[in-house]
Structure formats: structure tokens, C-alpha cells
Amino acid sequence: AGFFGGIGRGVVEGPFEMVKVRRQVVSGWKFAEVFQGFGTTLFRNSFLFSSFVIYMDILKQQLVQRDMELPPFLKAGICANLAWFSVWPLDVVKTRRQSGKYEGKSLIWLMRDSFKTGDMYRGLGAGMLRSLFANGVSMEVYVLVEKKLKEECGHE
């Protein structure tokens, strides 16, 4: 489910990501280029969402085995950060591909170059902080809304 959810999000997100990256690196773009890096975005998102679902399942099992509980904020924040850490090099490659500064370079070349230049985890700290709060808050809101809907509908 996570894999296909990532593909679905990638289809919507891909063109917007390309325009965002071009604006961030102050580079022009044409409408015909909005799908540049699209495959990399789909690849990244499918593994990002799959990883998140897997990490959530593993965490849930570990908490049950230890008779422990964590607030939704921490569960989602921890699992999202693990997922982002797992795919961060793909995000760097996606951003490089969409920047327009690496025309004609393959995915493998971009991956090797980001490793060689030490950029493979560039921006990770800021990305993790954003992920922690964005996903933690989202999960808290999700749980709150789910609880209210169950109360209103009379379901447990």
C-alpha cells in the first residue's frame, strides 16, 4: 500500500517539485520540462512511503512486545525520519536532476557524484526537523479527527 501511495503522491508532486527546485536554484524552466526528474520522484516516493509503513509496523510490534506506548507525534515523527534517512540520497539525486544543472547525467552518475562530493546527505538536518514536526503534527491531528468521527458515528 505504501509503495502505491508513494507512486500516487509522486504523480501529483513531481511537476511541482521540479518547479520548486528550479525556483530555489534561481534557474528558469519551461512547461515542457515539468516532468524532468519525474521518474526519480516516483522512485523516491514509492520507497519513502513503503519505508514509513514498514517502520510504523516494526515500531508497533516492538511497543506491543515491550508493553509500551508512545504518543502519535513521536511514532509518526520517528518513523518518518527513518524513512527519509533511508531515501535521502534519492532526494538529493532528484533535486540535482530537477535543478537543470546536470543535463544528460544518469541516475547512477548523480548518485556517485553526490557521494564523491560529500553531498549525499546535504540538508538532512533541516529535512529531519521538518519531517519530525510535519509528520508528528499530522498524526496527532489524524488521531484526534479519527476519535471525534468515531464518537459522532457511535463506533469504537
Side-chain angles (χ1 to χ4, degrees), residues 14-15 17-18 22 32-39 41 94 96-104:
E17 278 284 304
M18 197 291 290
R22 289 289 178 93
E33 300 172 323
V34 296
F35 288 103
Q36 186 172 3
F38 185 70
T41 301
K94 176 208 65 79
R96 283 180 168 210
R97 182 172 298 268
Q98 291 175 328
S99 74
K101 297 182 179 189
Y102 297 90
E103 295 292 326

PDB file of all heavy atoms in Angstrom, residues 14-15 17-18 22 32-39 41 94 96-104:
ATOM      1  N   GLY A  14       5.403  15.425  -8.521  1.00  0.00           N
ATOM      2  CA  GLY A  14       6.549  15.544  -9.422  1.00  0.00           C
ATOM      3  C   GLY A  14       6.690  16.879 -10.136  1.00  0.00           C
ATOM      4  O   GLY A  14       7.732  17.538 -10.026  1.00  0.00           O
ATOM      5  N   PRO A  15       5.677  17.320 -10.876  1.00  0.00           N
ATOM      6  CA  PRO A  15       5.822  18.597 -11.592  1.00  0.00           C
ATOM      7  C   PRO A  15       6.030  19.790 -10.653  1.00  0.00           C
ATOM      8  O   PRO A  15       6.821  20.679 -10.948  1.00  0.00           O
ATOM      9  CB  PRO A  15       4.496  18.724 -12.349  1.00  0.00           C
ATOM     10  CG  PRO A  15       3.997  17.318 -12.482  1.00  0.00           C
ATOM     11  CD  PRO A  15       4.456  16.616 -11.230  1.00  0.00           C
ATOM     12  N   GLU A  17       7.434  19.714  -7.671  1.00  0.00           N
ATOM     13  CA  GLU A  17       8.794  19.610  -7.135  1.00  0.00           C
ATOM     14  C   GLU A  17       9.808  20.200  -8.113  1.00  0.00           C
ATOM     15  O   GLU A  17      10.730  20.893  -7.716  1.00  0.00           O
ATOM     16  CB  GLU A  17       9.148  18.147  -6.857  1.00  0.00           C
ATOM     17  CG  GLU A  17       8.623  17.623  -5.552  1.00  0.00           C
ATOM     18  CD  GLU A  17       9.421  18.127  -4.362  1.00  0.00           C
ATOM     19  OE1 GLU A  17      10.646  17.929  -4.308  1.00  0.00           O
ATOM     20  OE2 GLU A  17       8.804  18.729  -3.472  1.00  0.00           O
ATOM     21  N   MET A  18       9.654  19.899  -9.406  1.00  0.00           N
ATOM     22  CA  MET A  18      10.592  20.409 -10.396  1.00  0.00           C
ATOM     23  C   MET A  18      10.564  21.931 -10.431  1.00  0.00           C
ATOM     24  O   MET A  18      11.607  22.587 -10.387  1.00  0.00           O
ATOM     25  CB  MET A  18      10.255  19.833 -11.781  1.00  0.00           C
ATOM     26  CG  MET A  18      11.402  19.964 -12.798  1.00  0.00           C
ATOM     27  SD  MET A  18      11.810  21.619 -13.388  1.00  0.00           S
ATOM     28  CE  MET A  18      10.397  21.978 -14.389  1.00  0.00           C
ATOM     29  N   ARG A  22      13.666  24.454  -9.358  1.00  0.00           N
ATOM     30  CA  ARG A  22      14.178  25.459 -10.296  1.00  0.00           C
ATOM     31  C   ARG A  22      14.100  26.857  -9.701  1.00  0.00           C
ATOM     32  O   ARG A  22      14.997  27.669  -9.883  1.00  0.00           O
ATOM     33  CB  ARG A  22      13.411  25.412 -11.612  1.00  0.00           C
ATOM     34  CG  ARG A  22      13.689  24.195 -12.441  1.00  0.00           C
ATOM     35  CD  ARG A  22      15.103  24.237 -13.034  1.00  0.00           C
ATOM     36  NE  ARG A  22      15.393  23.063 -13.799  1.00  0.00           N
ATOM     37  CZ  ARG A  22      15.211  22.957 -15.113  1.00  0.00           C
ATOM     38  NH1 ARG A  22      14.741  23.968 -15.804  1.00  0.00           N
ATOM     39  NH2 ARG A  22      15.496  21.818 -15.718  1.00  0.00           N
ATOM     40  N   ALA A  32       7.318  22.459 -20.710  1.00  0.00           N
ATOM     41  CA  ALA A  32       7.676  21.151 -21.277  1.00  0.00           C
ATOM     42  C   ALA A  32       8.636  20.376 -20.365  1.00  0.00           C
ATOM     43  O   ALA A  32       8.810  19.174 -20.522  1.00  0.00           O
ATOM     44  CB  ALA A  32       8.299  21.331 -22.658  1.00  0.00           C
ATOM     45  N   GLU A  33       9.256  21.065 -19.409  1.00  0.00           N
ATOM     46  CA  GLU A  33      10.228  20.428 -18.515  1.00  0.00           C
ATOM     47  C   GLU A  33       9.646  19.992 -17.173  1.00  0.00           C
ATOM     48  O   GLU A  33      10.372  19.463 -16.340  1.00  0.00           O
ATOM     49  CB  GLU A  33      11.390  21.390 -18.232  1.00  0.00           C
ATOM     50  CG  GLU A  33      12.155  21.816 -19.446  1.00  0.00           C
ATOM     51  CD  GLU A  33      13.158  22.912 -19.142  1.00  0.00           C
ATOM     52  OE1 GLU A  33      12.860  23.790 -18.308  1.00  0.00           O
ATOM     53  OE2 GLU A  33      14.247  22.885 -19.742  1.00  0.00           O
ATOM     54  N   VAL A  34       8.351  20.199 -16.942  1.00  0.00           N
ATOM     55  CA  VAL A  34       7.798  19.928 -15.610  1.00  0.00           C
ATOM     56  C   VAL A  34       7.904  18.472 -15.184  1.00  0.00           C
ATOM     57  O   VAL A  34       7.842  18.177 -13.997  1.00  0.00           O
ATOM     58  CB  VAL A  34       6.336  20.413 -15.426  1.00  0.00           C
ATOM     59  CG1 VAL A  34       6.248  21.916 -15.545  1.00  0.00           C
ATOM     60  CG2 VAL A  34       5.394  19.706 -16.357  1.00  0.00           C
ATOM     61  N   PHE A  35       8.097  17.569 -16.128  1.00  0.00           N
ATOM     62  CA  PHE A  35       8.244  16.169 -15.749  1.00  0.00           C
ATOM     63  C   PHE A  35       9.706  15.740 -15.679  1.00  0.00           C
ATOM     64  O   PHE A  35       9.992  14.557 -15.540  1.00  0.00           O
ATOM     65  CB  PHE A  35       7.440  15.265 -16.691  1.00  0.00           C
ATOM     66  CG  PHE A  35       5.959  15.378 -16.455  1.00  0.00           C
ATOM     67  CD1 PHE A  35       5.163  16.115 -17.307  1.00  0.00           C
ATOM     68  CD2 PHE A  35       5.378  14.786 -15.343  1.00  0.00           C
ATOM     69  CE1 PHE A  35       3.798  16.240 -17.070  1.00  0.00           C
ATOM     70  CE2 PHE A  35       4.021  14.899 -15.097  1.00  0.00           C
ATOM     71  CZ  PHE A  35       3.226  15.630 -15.969  1.00  0.00           C
ATOM     72  N   GLN A  36      10.619  16.700 -15.739  1.00  0.00           N
ATOM     73  CA  GLN A  36      12.036  16.366 -15.584  1.00  0.00           C
ATOM     74  C   GLN A  36      12.257  15.876 -14.152  1.00  0.00           C
ATOM     75  O   GLN A  36      11.846  16.506 -13.192  1.00  0.00           O
ATOM     76  CB  GLN A  36      12.912  17.585 -15.856  1.00  0.00           C
ATOM     77  CG  GLN A  36      14.379  17.271 -15.853  1.00  0.00           C
ATOM     78  CD  GLN A  36      15.204  18.454 -16.328  1.00  0.00           C
ATOM     79  OE1 GLN A  36      14.696  19.515 -16.612  1.00  0.00           O
ATOM     80  NE2 GLN A  36      16.492  18.251 -16.402  1.00  0.00           N
ATOM     81  N   GLY A  37      12.885  14.728 -14.019  1.00  0.00           N
ATOM     82  CA  GLY A  37      13.097  14.136 -12.700  1.00  0.00           C
ATOM     83  C   GLY A  37      11.884  13.392 -12.179  1.00  0.00           C
ATOM     84  O   GLY A  37      11.863  12.947 -11.037  1.00  0.00           O
ATOM     85  N   PHE A  38      10.863  13.249 -13.018  1.00  0.00           N
ATOM     86  CA  PHE A  38       9.616  12.613 -12.614  1.00  0.00           C
ATOM     87  C   PHE A  38       9.839  11.169 -12.162  1.00  0.00           C
ATOM     88  O   PHE A  38       9.335  10.750 -11.121  1.00  0.00           O
ATOM     89  CB  PHE A  38       8.616  12.671 -13.777  1.00  0.00           C
ATOM     90  CG  PHE A  38       7.254  12.166 -13.444  1.00  0.00           C
ATOM     91  CD1 PHE A  38       6.431  12.876 -12.594  1.00  0.00           C
ATOM     92  CD2 PHE A  38       6.787  10.990 -13.991  1.00  0.00           C
ATOM     93  CE1 PHE A  38       5.156  12.421 -12.295  1.00  0.00           C
ATOM     94  CE2 PHE A  38       5.513  10.523 -13.704  1.00  0.00           C
ATOM     95  CZ  PHE A  38       4.704  11.253 -12.853  1.00  0.00           C
ATOM     96  N   GLY A  39      10.610  10.422 -12.927  1.00  0.00           N
ATOM     97  CA  GLY A  39      10.895   9.026 -12.569  1.00  0.00           C
ATOM     98  C   GLY A  39      11.601   8.923 -11.232  1.00  0.00           C
ATOM     99  O   GLY A  39      11.292   8.056 -10.411  1.00  0.00           O
ATOM    100  N   THR A  41      11.407  11.092  -8.807  1.00  0.00           N
ATOM    101  CA  THR A  41      10.428  11.448  -7.767  1.00  0.00           C
ATOM    102  C   THR A  41       9.535  10.250  -7.456  1.00  0.00           C
ATOM    103  O   THR A  41       9.290   9.946  -6.278  1.00  0.00           O
ATOM    104  CB  THR A  41       9.575  12.653  -8.210  1.00  0.00           C
ATOM    105  OG1 THR A  41      10.432  13.764  -8.472  1.00  0.00           O
ATOM    106  CG2 THR A  41       8.554  13.037  -7.145  1.00  0.00           C
ATOM    107  N   LYS A  94      17.273  13.470  -6.977  1.00  0.00           N
ATOM    108  CA  LYS A  94      16.079  14.060  -7.587  1.00  0.00           C
ATOM    109  C   LYS A  94      16.248  15.570  -7.715  1.00  0.00           C
ATOM    110  O   LYS A  94      15.992  16.155  -8.771  1.00  0.00           O
ATOM    111  CB  LYS A  94      14.842  13.750  -6.749  1.00  0.00           C
ATOM    112  CG  LYS A  94      13.574  14.413  -7.255  1.00  0.00           C
ATOM    113  CD  LYS A  94      12.557  14.681  -6.167  1.00  0.00           C
ATOM    114  CE  LYS A  94      12.962  15.654  -5.133  1.00  0.00           C
ATOM    115  NZ  LYS A  94      12.843  17.092  -5.516  1.00  0.00           N
ATOM    116  N   ARG A  96      19.054  17.299  -7.776  1.00  0.00           N
ATOM    117  CA  ARG A  96      20.080  17.598  -8.779  1.00  0.00           C
ATOM    118  C   ARG A  96      19.514  17.457 -10.190  1.00  0.00           C
ATOM    119  O   ARG A  96      19.747  18.309 -11.036  1.00  0.00           O
ATOM    120  CB  ARG A  96      21.283  16.665  -8.616  1.00  0.00           C
ATOM    121  CG  ARG A  96      22.162  17.054  -7.462  1.00  0.00           C
ATOM    122  CD  ARG A  96      23.321  16.107  -7.347  1.00  0.00           C
ATOM    123  NE  ARG A  96      24.301  16.642  -6.425  1.00  0.00           N
ATOM    124  CZ  ARG A  96      25.593  16.393  -6.516  1.00  0.00           C
ATOM    125  NH1 ARG A  96      26.058  15.601  -7.455  1.00  0.00           N
ATOM    126  NH2 ARG A  96      26.428  16.917  -5.642  1.00  0.00           N
ATOM    127  N   ARG A  97      18.778  16.395 -10.422  1.00  0.00           N
ATOM    128  CA  ARG A  97      18.207  16.169 -11.754  1.00  0.00           C
ATOM    129  C   ARG A  97      17.251  17.303 -12.108  1.00  0.00           C
ATOM    130  O   ARG A  97      17.244  17.800 -13.232  1.00  0.00           O
ATOM    131  CB  ARG A  97      17.482  14.838 -11.811  1.00  0.00           C
ATOM    132  CG  ARG A  97      16.921  14.541 -13.194  1.00  0.00           C
ATOM    133  CD  ARG A  97      16.383  13.151 -13.304  1.00  0.00           C
ATOM    134  NE  ARG A  97      17.377  12.133 -13.094  1.00  0.00           N
ATOM    135  CZ  ARG A  97      18.107  11.556 -14.049  1.00  0.00           C
ATOM    136  NH1 ARG A  97      17.949  11.928 -15.287  1.00  0.00           N
ATOM    137  NH2 ARG A  97      18.960  10.617 -13.763  1.00  0.00           N
ATOM    138  N   GLN A  98      16.453  17.740 -11.165  1.00  0.00           N
ATOM    139  CA  GLN A  98      15.459  18.772 -11.439  1.00  0.00           C
ATOM    140  C   GLN A  98      16.063  20.181 -11.493  1.00  0.00           C
ATOM    141  O   GLN A  98      15.426  21.094 -11.985  1.00  0.00           O
ATOM    142  CB  GLN A  98      14.355  18.728 -10.393  1.00  0.00           C
ATOM    143  CG  GLN A  98      13.490  17.490 -10.520  1.00  0.00           C
ATOM    144  CD  GLN A  98      12.473  17.374  -9.409  1.00  0.00           C
ATOM    145  OE1 GLN A  98      12.711  17.805  -8.282  1.00  0.00           O
ATOM    146  NE2 GLN A  98      11.331  16.781  -9.729  1.00  0.00           N
ATOM    147  N   SER A  99      17.276  20.347 -10.992  1.00  0.00           N
ATOM    148  CA  SER A  99      17.893  21.676 -10.966  1.00  0.00           C
ATOM    149  C   SER A  99      18.223  22.202 -12.348  1.00  0.00           C
ATOM    150  O   SER A  99      18.382  23.405 -12.537  1.00  0.00           O
ATOM    151  CB  SER A  99      19.172  21.649 -10.121  1.00  0.00           C
ATOM    152  OG  SER A  99      20.218  20.979 -10.819  1.00  0.00           O
ATOM    153  N   GLY A 100      18.353  21.305 -13.323  1.00  0.00           N
ATOM    154  CA  GLY A 100      18.714  21.724 -14.667  1.00  0.00           C
ATOM    155  C   GLY A 100      20.210  21.914 -14.845  1.00  0.00           C
ATOM    156  O   GLY A 100      20.679  22.283 -15.913  1.00  0.00           O
ATOM    157  N   LYS A 101      20.972  21.644 -13.814  1.00  0.00           N
ATOM    158  CA  LYS A 101      22.423  21.846 -13.860  1.00  0.00           C
ATOM    159  C   LYS A 101      23.194  20.567 -14.181  1.00  0.00           C
ATOM    160  O   LYS A 101      24.411  20.594 -14.265  1.00  0.00           O
ATOM    161  CB  LYS A 101      22.907  22.425 -12.528  1.00  0.00           C
ATOM    162  CG  LYS A 101      22.324  23.796 -12.255  1.00  0.00           C
ATOM    163  CD  LYS A 101      22.829  24.383 -10.971  1.00  0.00           C
ATOM    164  CE  LYS A 101      22.222  25.767 -10.782  1.00  0.00           C
ATOM    165  NZ  LYS A 101      22.816  26.472  -9.672  1.00  0.00           N
ATOM    166  N   TYR A 102      22.492  19.465 -14.352  1.00  0.00           N
ATOM    167  CA  TYR A 102      23.153  18.177 -14.608  1.00  0.00           C
ATOM    168  C   TYR A 102      22.530  17.492 -15.820  1.00  0.00           C
ATOM    169  O   TYR A 102      22.270  16.292 -15.795  1.00  0.00           O
ATOM    170  CB  TYR A 102      23.057  17.270 -13.371  1.00  0.00           C
ATOM    171  CG  TYR A 102      23.764  17.825 -12.163  1.00  0.00           C
ATOM    172  CD1 TYR A 102      23.106  18.637 -11.259  1.00  0.00           C
ATOM    173  CD2 TYR A 102      25.104  17.544 -11.942  1.00  0.00           C
ATOM    174  CE1 TYR A 102      23.751  19.154 -10.155  1.00  0.00           C
ATOM    175  CE2 TYR A 102      25.770  18.058 -10.840  1.00  0.00           C
ATOM    176  CZ  TYR A 102      25.087  18.869  -9.958  1.00  0.00           C
ATOM    177  OH  TYR A 102      25.736  19.381  -8.854  1.00  0.00           O
ATOM    178  N   GLU A 103      22.299  18.256 -16.865  1.00  0.00           N
ATOM    179  CA  GLU A 103      21.676  17.721 -18.074  1.00  0.00           C
ATOM    180  C   GLU A 103      22.480  16.537 -18.618  1.00  0.00           C
ATOM    181  O   GLU A 103      23.698  16.583 -18.687  1.00  0.00           O
ATOM    182  CB  GLU A 103      21.579  18.803 -19.152  1.00  0.00           C
ATOM    183  CG  GLU A 103      20.654  19.950 -18.785  1.00  0.00           C
ATOM    184  CD  GLU A 103      19.202  19.560 -18.714  1.00  0.00           C
ATOM    185  OE1 GLU A 103      18.764  18.690 -19.481  1.00  0.00           O
ATOM    186  OE2 GLU A 103      18.503  20.142 -17.864  1.00  0.00           O
ATOM    187  N   GLY A 104      21.782  15.481 -18.989  1.00  0.00           N
ATOM    188  CA  GLY A 104      22.413  14.328 -19.608  1.00  0.00           C
ATOM    189  C   GLY A 104      23.115  13.376 -18.658  1.00  0.00           C
ATOM    190  O   GLY A 104      23.697  12.392 -19.098  1.00  0.00           O
TER     191      GLY A 104
END
